[in-house]
C-alpha cells in the first residue's frame, strides 16, 4: 500500500526545467491535492481464501513397511469339495506276522449214509423191499432185516433208487412214515431188460423211516437182480438241522 502511494506521488511531481523558476536547492511545490506531511494508512483487512486448487498428482510409492503383528484367528471355514483321488502309491512292504491264534473247538461232522442193493428178484407187494446187498452202511442207519432207513440226525436227506425190470411190469413207491411220497412205473417190454429210477429230497425228523415197496397186486412186481444186473437204493444226509 505504501509503495502504491509513493508511485503516485512521483507521477504528480513536475520534472526539472518544466515551468520552474526556483533556483537550485529549492523543492518544487506540491501538486494540487497532495497532502503535506502524509502518513501511511491503517492496514486493510485480510482478503478471503481463494478456491482450493485441483488435486495434485499421486506421489511416488513409499518404501514397504515392516511386517505387522499376526491378527486374531478367524472362525473355521466350511469344508471344501472332495478333491480328485491321487495316484495309487507303491505297494508297501509286508508287515510282521501276527501271533498264532488259539486253537478252536473241533467241529463235529454229522454223517448218515447208506447204499444197498437187491440180491434176489423175489419181492412181495405192499411191504418194504429188503435190500440185503450192502455197499455202504457204516453208521448202520439202514436196517437190512426190515428194509427201512432210520433217521438218527434230523435234517435234509437225498434218496435215489435205480431198479432193473424183467418179466413183469414194475410199480414202486418211496415211503416216508407210512405215506408214499414218490411213484415210479415201468411197463416191461417182452424179452428185454428195462431200467427205472427215481430220486427226491426229504426233510426228516429224528425217528422218521424211509423205504421202498411194490404197490398194487402181484402183477407189478417185476424187480430183478442177478450177478450182472443190480437194483439199488441209496440215501445220505445233506444238511443237519441247527438249533
Amino acid at each position: 500500500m505504501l509503495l502504491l502511494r509513493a508511485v503516485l506521488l512521483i507521477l504528480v511531481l513536475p520534472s526539472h526545467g518544466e515551468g520552474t523558476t526556483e533556483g537550485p536547492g529549492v523543492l518544487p511545490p506540491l501538486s494540487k491535492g497532495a497532502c503535506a506531511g502524509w502518513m501511511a494508512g491503517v492496514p486493510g483487512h485480510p482478503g478471503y481464501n481463494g478456491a482450493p486448487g485441483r488435486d495434485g498428482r499421486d506421489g511416488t510409492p513409499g518404501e514397504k513397511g515392516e511386517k505387522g503383528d499376526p491378527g486374531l484367528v478367524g472362525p473355521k471355514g466350511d469344508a471344501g469339495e472332495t478333491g480328485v483321488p491321487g495316484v495309487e502309491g507303491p505297494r508297501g512292504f509286508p508287515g510282521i506276522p501276527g501271533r498264532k491264534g488259539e486253537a478252536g473247538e473241533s467241529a463235529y461232522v454229522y454223517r448218515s449214509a447208506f447204499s444197498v442193493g437187491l440180491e434176489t428178484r423175489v419181492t412181495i407187494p405192499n411191504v418194504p423191499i429188503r435190500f440185503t446187498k450192502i455197499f455202504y452202511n457204516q453208521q448202520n442207519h439202514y436196517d437190512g432185516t426190515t428194509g427201512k432207513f432210520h433217521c438218527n440226525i434230523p435234517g435234509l436227506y437225498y434218496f435215489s433208487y435205480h431198479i432193473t425190470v424183467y418179466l413183469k411190469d414194475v410199480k414202486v413207491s418211496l415211503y416216508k412214515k407210512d405215506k408214499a411220497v414218490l411213484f415210479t412205473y415201468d411197463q416191461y417190454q417182452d424179452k428185454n431188460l428195462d431200467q427205472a429210477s427215481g430220486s427226491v429230497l426229504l426233510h426228516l425228523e429224528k425217528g422218521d423211516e424211509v423205504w421202498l415197496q411194490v404197490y398194487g397186486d402181484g402183477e407189478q412186481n417185476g424187480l430183478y437182480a442177478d450177478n450182472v444186473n443190480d437194483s439199488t437204493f441209496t440215501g445220505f444226509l445233506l444238511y443237519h438241522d441247527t438249533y
Side-chain angles (χ1 to χ4, degrees):
M1 196 70 178
L2 293 177
L3 180 60
L4 179 60
R5 288 178 178 271
V7 172
L8 292 176
L9 180 60
I10 294 172
L11 292 175
V12 299
L13 291 177
S15 61
H16 296 286
E18 231 185 67
T20 305
T21 57
E22 293 82 1
V26 180
L27 294 172
L30 297 172
S31 62
K32 187 178 179 179
C35 295
W38 58 272
M39 296 179 63
V42 180
H45 295 286
Y48 295 102
N49 293 333
R54 293 181 297 177
D55 293 340
R57 298 180 180 178
D58 294 337
T60 304
E63 296 181 0
K64 184 177 180 181
E66 296 180 0
K67 184 177 181 180
D69 297 330
L72 299 176
V73 178
K76 183 179 180 179
D78 297 332
E81 297 181 358
T82 304
V84 179
V87 180
E88 183 178 357
R91 184 175 181 179
F93 295 103
I96 301 174
R99 294 181 301 174
K100 184 177 181 180
E102 297 180 359
E105 297 180 0
S106 59
Y108 180 78
V109 179
Y110 294 87
R111 294 184 175 91
S112 179
F114 73 95
S115 182
V116 293
L118 192 67
E119 290 186 300
T120 176
R121 65 184 182 90
V122 179
T123 57
I124 302 174
N126 303 313
V127 295
I129 301 172
R130 293 176 60 244
F131 293 88
T132 56
K133 186 177 182 179
I134 307 299
F135 300 109
Y136 180 87
N137 191 28
Q138 186 172 352
Q139 293 81 35
N140 292 317
H141 293 168
Y142 172 79
D143 186 354
T145 61
T146 63
K148 295 182 179 182
F149 168 77
H150 298 269
C151 176
N152 289 268
I153 304 171
L156 182 66
Y157 286 79
Y158 175 79
F159 294 96
S160 67
Y161 52 87
H162 180 88
I163 57 178
T164 300
V165 182
Y166 185 57
L167 298 178
K168 294 181 180 181
D169 297 344
V170 166
K171 288 183 179 181
V172 296
S173 57
L174 185 141
Y175 277 75
K176 170 190 172 184
K177 295 174 59 177
D178 295 325
K179 182 178 180 181
V181 295
L182 187 65
F183 298 89
T184 298
Y185 171 73
D186 182 82
Q187 188 174 17
Y188 172 69
Q189 302 296 322
D190 190 23
K191 297 181 181 180
N192 288 324
L193 285 174
D194 292 345
Q195 306 290 332
S197 62
S199 60
V200 67
L201 285 172
L202 294 177
H203 181 269
L204 302 181
E205 300 291 346
K206 186 174 182 179
D208 288 347
E209 295 178 331
V210 177
W211 68 90
L212 281 176
Q213 75 180 37
V214 174
Y215 65 93
D217 54 34
E219 296 300 319
Q220 284 83 35
N221 64 345
L223 269 72
Y224 181 80
D226 58 22
N227 57 345
V228 292
N229 296 283
D230 283 304
S231 293
T232 61
F233 182 33
T234 299
F236 54 86
L237 173 67
L238 285 177
Y239 306 106
H240 70 278
D241 289 345
T242 58
Y243 300 99

